Short mmCIF file of all heavy atoms in Angstrom, two decimals:
data_model
loop_
_atom_site.label_atom_id
_atom_site.label_comp_id
_atom_site.label_asym_id
_atom_site.label_seq_id
_atom_site.Cartn_x
_atom_site.Cartn_y
_atom_site.Cartn_z
N VAL A 486 -7.04 13.92 -19.94
CA VAL A 486 -7.05 12.47 -19.72
C VAL A 486 -5.65 11.88 -19.92
O VAL A 486 -5.15 11.13 -19.07
CB VAL A 486 -8.06 11.78 -20.67
CG1 VAL A 486 -8.07 10.28 -20.47
CG2 VAL A 486 -9.46 12.35 -20.47
N GLY A 487 -5.02 12.22 -21.03
CA GLY A 487 -3.72 11.64 -21.37
C GLY A 487 -2.56 12.23 -20.59
O GLY A 487 -1.94 11.56 -19.76
N PHE A 488 -2.24 13.51 -20.87
CA PHE A 488 -1.04 14.11 -20.29
C PHE A 488 -1.10 14.15 -18.76
O PHE A 488 -0.18 13.70 -18.08
CB PHE A 488 -0.81 15.52 -20.85
CG PHE A 488 0.48 16.12 -20.39
CD1 PHE A 488 1.66 15.82 -21.05
CD2 PHE A 488 0.53 16.96 -19.29
CE1 PHE A 488 2.87 16.35 -20.61
CE2 PHE A 488 1.73 17.49 -18.85
CZ PHE A 488 2.90 17.18 -19.52
N CYS A 489 -2.19 14.71 -18.22
CA CYS A 489 -2.28 14.81 -16.76
C CYS A 489 -2.36 13.44 -16.10
O CYS A 489 -1.79 13.23 -15.04
CB CYS A 489 -3.47 15.67 -16.37
SG CYS A 489 -3.27 17.41 -16.81
N GLY A 490 -3.08 12.51 -16.76
CA GLY A 490 -3.14 11.15 -16.23
C GLY A 490 -1.78 10.47 -16.22
O GLY A 490 -1.43 9.75 -15.29
N GLY A 491 -0.99 10.71 -17.27
CA GLY A 491 0.34 10.12 -17.33
C GLY A 491 1.34 10.83 -16.42
O GLY A 491 2.22 10.20 -15.84
N MET A 492 1.19 12.14 -16.29
CA MET A 492 2.13 12.91 -15.48
C MET A 492 1.93 12.62 -13.98
O MET A 492 2.90 12.44 -13.25
CB MET A 492 1.97 14.40 -15.74
CG MET A 492 2.95 15.27 -15.00
SD MET A 492 2.69 16.99 -15.47
CE MET A 492 3.66 17.81 -14.23
N SER A 493 0.68 12.58 -13.56
CA SER A 493 0.43 12.29 -12.15
C SER A 493 0.54 10.78 -11.94
O SER A 493 0.41 10.01 -12.87
CB SER A 493 -0.96 12.79 -11.74
OG SER A 493 -1.96 12.14 -12.48
N THR A 494 0.79 10.40 -10.71
CA THR A 494 0.99 8.98 -10.48
C THR A 494 0.53 8.58 -9.09
O THR A 494 1.19 8.85 -8.10
CB THR A 494 2.46 8.58 -10.69
OG1 THR A 494 2.62 7.22 -10.30
CG2 THR A 494 3.44 9.44 -9.95
N PHE A 495 -0.64 7.99 -9.04
CA PHE A 495 -1.17 7.51 -7.77
C PHE A 495 -0.41 6.28 -7.30
O PHE A 495 -0.15 6.11 -6.11
CB PHE A 495 -2.66 7.21 -7.90
CG PHE A 495 -3.31 6.89 -6.60
CD1 PHE A 495 -3.56 7.91 -5.68
CD2 PHE A 495 -3.65 5.60 -6.26
CE1 PHE A 495 -4.15 7.62 -4.46
CE2 PHE A 495 -4.24 5.30 -5.05
CZ PHE A 495 -4.49 6.32 -4.14
N SER A 496 0.00 5.44 -8.23
CA SER A 496 0.69 4.20 -7.84
C SER A 496 2.04 4.50 -7.18
O SER A 496 2.41 3.87 -6.19
CB SER A 496 0.87 3.28 -9.04
OG SER A 496 1.56 3.93 -10.07
N HIS A 497 2.79 5.45 -7.70
CA HIS A 497 4.09 5.81 -7.11
C HIS A 497 3.86 6.42 -5.72
O HIS A 497 4.58 6.11 -4.77
CB HIS A 497 4.82 6.79 -8.03
CG HIS A 497 6.25 7.00 -7.67
ND1 HIS A 497 7.28 6.48 -8.42
CD2 HIS A 497 6.84 7.64 -6.64
CE1 HIS A 497 8.42 6.81 -7.87
NE2 HIS A 497 8.17 7.52 -6.78
N PHE A 498 2.85 7.29 -5.63
CA PHE A 498 2.50 7.91 -4.36
C PHE A 498 2.15 6.85 -3.31
O PHE A 498 2.64 6.90 -2.17
CB PHE A 498 1.33 8.87 -4.59
CG PHE A 498 0.57 9.26 -3.37
CD1 PHE A 498 1.12 10.13 -2.44
CD2 PHE A 498 -0.70 8.76 -3.14
CE1 PHE A 498 0.42 10.49 -1.30
CE2 PHE A 498 -1.41 9.11 -2.01
CZ PHE A 498 -0.85 9.98 -1.09
N THR A 499 1.34 5.85 -3.69
CA THR A 499 0.96 4.83 -2.71
C THR A 499 2.13 3.93 -2.35
O THR A 499 2.24 3.49 -1.19
CB THR A 499 -0.23 3.98 -3.22
OG1 THR A 499 0.09 3.41 -4.48
CG2 THR A 499 -1.49 4.80 -3.33
N ARG A 500 3.01 3.65 -3.31
CA ARG A 500 4.19 2.84 -3.00
C ARG A 500 5.08 3.56 -1.99
O ARG A 500 5.55 2.97 -1.01
CB ARG A 500 4.99 2.49 -4.24
CG ARG A 500 6.13 1.50 -3.93
CD ARG A 500 7.18 1.44 -5.00
NE ARG A 500 7.74 2.72 -5.36
CZ ARG A 500 8.69 3.37 -4.67
NH1 ARG A 500 9.16 2.87 -3.55
NH2 ARG A 500 9.16 4.52 -5.08
N GLU A 501 5.33 4.85 -2.23
CA GLU A 501 6.15 5.62 -1.29
C GLU A 501 5.50 5.66 0.09
O GLU A 501 6.19 5.53 1.11
CB GLU A 501 6.36 7.04 -1.80
CG GLU A 501 7.35 7.14 -2.93
CD GLU A 501 7.54 8.57 -3.41
OE1 GLU A 501 6.75 9.47 -3.04
OE2 GLU A 501 8.51 8.79 -4.16
N THR A 502 4.19 5.85 0.12
CA THR A 502 3.47 5.92 1.39
C THR A 502 3.54 4.58 2.12
O THR A 502 3.80 4.52 3.33
CB THR A 502 2.00 6.34 1.17
OG1 THR A 502 1.98 7.58 0.47
CG2 THR A 502 1.28 6.50 2.49
N SER A 503 3.34 3.48 1.40
CA SER A 503 3.42 2.17 2.05
C SER A 503 4.84 1.88 2.53
O SER A 503 5.02 1.28 3.60
CB SER A 503 2.91 1.06 1.14
OG SER A 503 3.74 0.88 0.03
N ASP A 504 5.85 2.31 1.78
CA ASP A 504 7.24 2.14 2.23
C ASP A 504 7.47 2.88 3.55
O ASP A 504 8.12 2.34 4.46
CB ASP A 504 8.23 2.65 1.18
CG ASP A 504 8.37 1.73 -0.01
OD1 ASP A 504 7.84 0.60 0.03
OD2 ASP A 504 9.02 2.15 -0.99
N MET A 505 6.95 4.11 3.65
CA MET A 505 7.11 4.86 4.89
C MET A 505 6.40 4.17 6.04
O MET A 505 6.92 4.08 7.16
CB MET A 505 6.58 6.29 4.72
CG MET A 505 7.46 7.18 3.86
SD MET A 505 6.83 8.86 3.72
CE MET A 505 5.77 8.73 2.29
N MET A 506 5.20 3.66 5.78
CA MET A 506 4.44 2.98 6.83
C MET A 506 5.14 1.71 7.28
O MET A 506 5.24 1.44 8.48
CB MET A 506 3.02 2.68 6.34
CG MET A 506 2.20 3.94 6.14
SD MET A 506 0.60 3.62 5.38
CE MET A 506 -0.21 2.73 6.67
N LEU A 507 5.64 0.93 6.32
CA LEU A 507 6.34 -0.31 6.67
C LEU A 507 7.63 -0.04 7.43
O LEU A 507 8.05 -0.86 8.25
CB LEU A 507 6.63 -1.12 5.41
CG LEU A 507 5.40 -1.73 4.73
CD1 LEU A 507 5.76 -2.32 3.37
CD2 LEU A 507 4.74 -2.76 5.63
N ALA A 508 8.24 1.11 7.17
CA ALA A 508 9.46 1.49 7.89
C ALA A 508 9.14 2.08 9.26
O ALA A 508 10.05 2.43 10.01
CB ALA A 508 10.27 2.49 7.06
N GLY A 509 7.85 2.21 9.59
CA GLY A 509 7.46 2.75 10.89
C GLY A 509 7.38 4.26 10.94
O GLY A 509 7.19 4.83 12.01
N ASP A 510 7.52 4.92 9.80
CA ASP A 510 7.48 6.38 9.77
C ASP A 510 6.07 6.85 9.46
O ASP A 510 5.77 7.40 8.40
CB ASP A 510 8.47 6.91 8.71
CG ASP A 510 8.84 8.35 8.96
OD1 ASP A 510 8.17 9.01 9.79
OD2 ASP A 510 9.80 8.83 8.33
N LEU A 511 5.18 6.62 10.43
CA LEU A 511 3.77 6.91 10.24
C LEU A 511 3.48 8.41 10.16
O LEU A 511 2.59 8.82 9.44
CB LEU A 511 2.94 6.27 11.36
CG LEU A 511 3.05 4.75 11.47
CD1 LEU A 511 2.21 4.24 12.63
CD2 LEU A 511 2.67 4.09 10.16
N VAL A 512 4.26 9.21 10.87
CA VAL A 512 4.05 10.66 10.83
C VAL A 512 4.36 11.19 9.43
O VAL A 512 3.57 11.94 8.85
CB VAL A 512 4.91 11.38 11.90
CG1 VAL A 512 4.86 12.89 11.72
CG2 VAL A 512 4.43 10.98 13.30
#
């Protein structure tokens, strides 16, 4: 719960993905 939850990061992953989508890099 603690270590793996803190180590992994869904929020960072979604921010990077949305940045790529907004930049038009859908692939």
Side-chain angles (χ1 to χ4, degrees):
V486 179
F488 186 83
C489 291
M492 183 177 168
S493 62
T494 173
F495 188 74
S496 57
H497 192 107
F498 162 73
T499 55
R500 187 197 53 80
E501 285 180 347
T502 304
S503 67
D504 285 351
M505 287 182 271
M506 292 173 68
L507 291 171
D510 200 348
L511 300 179
V512 171

